[in-house]
Amino acid sequence: MIDKKPFEQLIDKLKDEGKYRVFNDILRERGEYPNAIWYGKYNIKNIVNWCSNDYLGMGQHKVVLDAMHTALDQTGAGSGGTRNIGGTSHYHVALEHELAQLHSKESALLFTSAYVANEWTIVSLKRIIPDIVFLSDSKNHASLIQGIRHSGAEKKIFPHNDLETLEQLLRDVKGTPCIVFESVYSMDGYVSKIPEICALAKKYNAITYLDEVHAVGLYGNTGAGYAEKLGCLNEIDILNGTLGKAFGVQGGYITGNSTVIDAIRSVASGFIFTTSLSPVVCAGALASIKYLKDHNDLREKHQQRALQLKTEFLNEGIDVLENNTHIVPVMVRDAKKTKAMSDMLLDDYNIYCQPINYPTVEEGTERLRFAPTPYHSDAMIHNLVDSLRKVNKRFQEGCV
Ligand code: PLP
């Protein structure tokens, strides 16, 4: 029988350090986004969700829901198998075609999430190019780090956005270099130096692997991401995206040259040996991508809301990490305090914002990460700023 002791010890340690994660039980209300219902231990109440990555509310958009209802009625719930054995439907084919077009690439490959897409694409690259050396930005997401570790390939880490160190590393690489980086870093909201990194890649004949998970749907004239916005989509060899954030549904993908994608498709176990996404999910994603291609207005409103929130926080003297993106990190720099502030916002002000602690961010950089959407009203913004001001005051006065 399993000994529970090491498990209890681990949980106690996490609780002691303020790193124990509590999942909030909420129910999003269709048509009322970002309002939601929170199910507490003793009560149920209305809250405003300030930390959803459904950045544009597409998870509740009529065109997405209509497409999903139609697919559900037409084809049923699940895909029925792996892509190789019964699980490739017309919706998968159409969605991959749409994704390739969106990113101006020849091909796309769907995975069950962007995490899986990152991990297994990187593992596959090592299988296909045995002498590959990964050059990885120090702030890269866990899925990229996991892919590199799992691949067993040689790796070199460069400090975030540090072009000088990156060039030094590129100069010394013995095998085939592959630069792995993100466009929008989700916890700080910083943007990587995509054109400069691509120029270095060209100079040293390196492969470029770009994670655009927090940019697809949100940046560029058609929502293809930050590389589109900066006009350097052509310089990216493999681009990774999610269908679960701005597109509001679920799943992940890569896009690139058709031979490259075909080879990855043939060796990536995390793609091959798992049931494919439901056609219903694919139908929703397809509708969402098409809709966002045509709706820059939603992207503009999103940016405007984020800017307004940041401005109001700064005016109130709140410690916001400054950036040029839609992400609004308020720095607390202490795990227990971040959790206590998050609890207070929820309990006393009906504001839901999950604390961000290690290992998602480095210790000492704990924060509240606000994600405004086009649907957060002026009144909601004023209320949030006022509530956070009151919470800070209670801490300053030692009332907690
Ligand atoms: N890449 C980055 C930078 C992320 O932040 C995330 C998730 O938050 C992922 C990949 C994984 O995306 P998904 O939720 O589709 O697995």
Side-chain angles (χ1 to χ4, degrees):
M1 202 162 154
I2 195 160
D3 177 7
K4 285 194 283 182
K5 204 154 197 174
F7 298 89
E8 283 164 357
Q9 282 167 349
L10 172 84
I11 290 167
D12 287 346
K13 185 169 179 284
L14 289 173
K15 284 185 175 167
D16 254 15
E17 294 169 349
K19 293 177 191 161
Y20 182 73
R21 296 181 170 199
V22 179
F23 297 158
N24 270 307
D25 181 356
I26 63 166
L27 197 62
R28 306 201 309 157
E29 288 186 284
R30 181 179 155 190
E32 299 296 327
Y33 191 66
N35 291 305
I37 297 168
W38 176 73
Y39 289 82
K41 193 170 171 190
Y42 309 109
N43 57 346
I44 299 169
K45 66 176 184 176
N46 294 315
I47 55 150
V48 177
N49 189 346
W50 274 101
C51 61
S52 173
N53 282 338
D54 185 358
Y55 290 126
L56 300 176
M58 294 305 289
Q60 303 200 347
H61 199 286
K62 187 176 182 314
V63 299
V64 175
L65 301 191
D66 282 350
M68 293 181 81
H69 283 302
T70 304
L72 182 65
D73 291 342
Q74 179 195 32
T75 186
S79 75
T82 63
R83 286 293 294 273
N84 194 39
I85 309 174
T88 297
S89 75
H90 180 66
Y91 285 108
H92 296 87
V93 176
L95 179 55
E96 285 176 342
H97 183 71
E98 183 69 32
L99 285 165
Q101 262 196 350
L102 174 71
H103 295 290
S104 308
K105 301 288 180 204
E106 290 175 0
S107 280
L109 189 67
L110 284 169
F111 290 77
T112 46
S113 74
Y115 186 108
V116 175
N118 273 336
E119 178 175 5
W120 282 96
T121 302
I122 290 171
V123 170
S124 304
L125 286 174
K126 165 68 177 165
R127 277 219 204 155
I128 298 162
I129 312 167
D131 76 341
I132 200 162
V133 178
F134 292 111
L135 300 144
S136 176
D137 187 289
S138 62
K139 282 196 183 272
N140 275 346
H141 185 255
S143 54
L144 297 166
I145 296 169
Q146 174 58 18
I148 294 171
R149 279 199 191 128
H150 185 176
S151 78
E154 189 183 338
K155 68 164 190 282
K156 294 175 187 297
I157 295 162
F158 59 96
H160 179 55
N161 254 338
D162 180 343
L163 296 174
E164 225 168 276
T165 309
L166 176 60
E167 179 152 23
Q168 261 170 27
L169 294 174
L170 281 165
R171 231 180 263 134
D172 296 342
V173 163
K174 294 288 182 293
T176 304
C178 175
I179 308 170
V180 181
F181 61 122
E182 299 177 27
S183 56
V184 175
Y185 283 82
S186 68
M187 291 299 143
D188 299 329
Y190 296 154
V191 180
S192 63
K193 297 174 180 162
I194 306 174
E196 293 85 351
I197 291 175
C198 290
L200 283 179
K202 205 167 187 180
K203 186 168 167 190
Y204 293 94
N205 204 16
I207 299 164
T208 48
Y209 185 102
L210 180 65
D211 175 320
E212 290 249 44
V213 159
H214 292 273
V216 291
L218 303 175
Y219 295 91
N221 207 31
T222 63
Y226 228 94
E228 181 192 31
K229 179 178 160 89
L230 299 178
C232 43
L233 257 179
N234 280 343
E235 320 304 321
I236 305 300
D237 292 311
I238 301 175
L239 188 151
N240 164 290
T242 186
L243 303 170
K245 300 191 193 293
F247 294 128
V249 194
Q250 191 169 18
Y253 62 92
I254 53 165
T255 61
N257 167 278
S258 57
T259 309
V260 170
I261 299 295
D262 199 23
I264 293 168
R265 182 185 72 91
S266 308
V267 297
S269 305
F271 167 80
I272 298 170
F273 298 106
T274 189
T275 302
S276 63
L277 288 172
S278 159
V280 181
V281 166
C282 296
L286 193 56
S288 183
I289 294 164
K290 285 183 177 175
Y291 183 87
L292 288 181
K293 259 187 176 173
D294 288 343
H295 284 82
N296 252 332
D297 51 322
L298 213 50
R299 279 185 278 281
E300 280 164 13
K301 183 91 192 284
H302 182 222
Q303 292 297 320
Q304 188 274 329
R305 295 283 82 188
L307 185 62
Q308 181 169 338
L309 178 61
K310 281 188 248 185
T311 308
E312 293 199 21
F313 271 155
L314 285 170
N315 289 344
E316 199 52 61
I318 289 169
D319 185 6
V320 183
L321 202 62
E322 289 190 51
N323 60 44
N324 293 319
T325 58
H326 58 284
I327 291 158
V328 187
V330 168
M331 303 306 288
V332 182
R333 303 173 205 279
D334 178 275
K336 283 186 179 168
K337 186 174 173 191
T338 311
K339 171 81 176 101
M341 286 174 75
S342 165
D343 286 347
M344 214 180 277
L345 283 171
L346 186 60
D347 292 342
D348 299 340
Y349 304 96
N350 304 334
I351 286 169
Y352 173 40
C353 184
Q354 197 71 11
I356 307 287
N357 289 339
Y358 178 85
T360 308
V361 294
E362 281 170 39
E363 287 182 87
T365 71
E366 293 81 2
R367 65 200 67 182
L368 293 168
R369 174 190 180 274
F370 295 95
T373 70
Y375 302 102
H376 283 89
S377 65
D378 283 348
M380 285 173 182
I381 290 179
H382 301 328
N383 183 254
L384 168 61
V385 176
D386 189 49
S387 303
L388 195 56
R389 183 185 61 76
K390 287 178 182 152
V391 166
N392 277 337
K393 194 159 173 262
R394 285 165 66 182
F395 271 93
Q396 277 157 13
E397 290 172 353
C399 304
V400 279

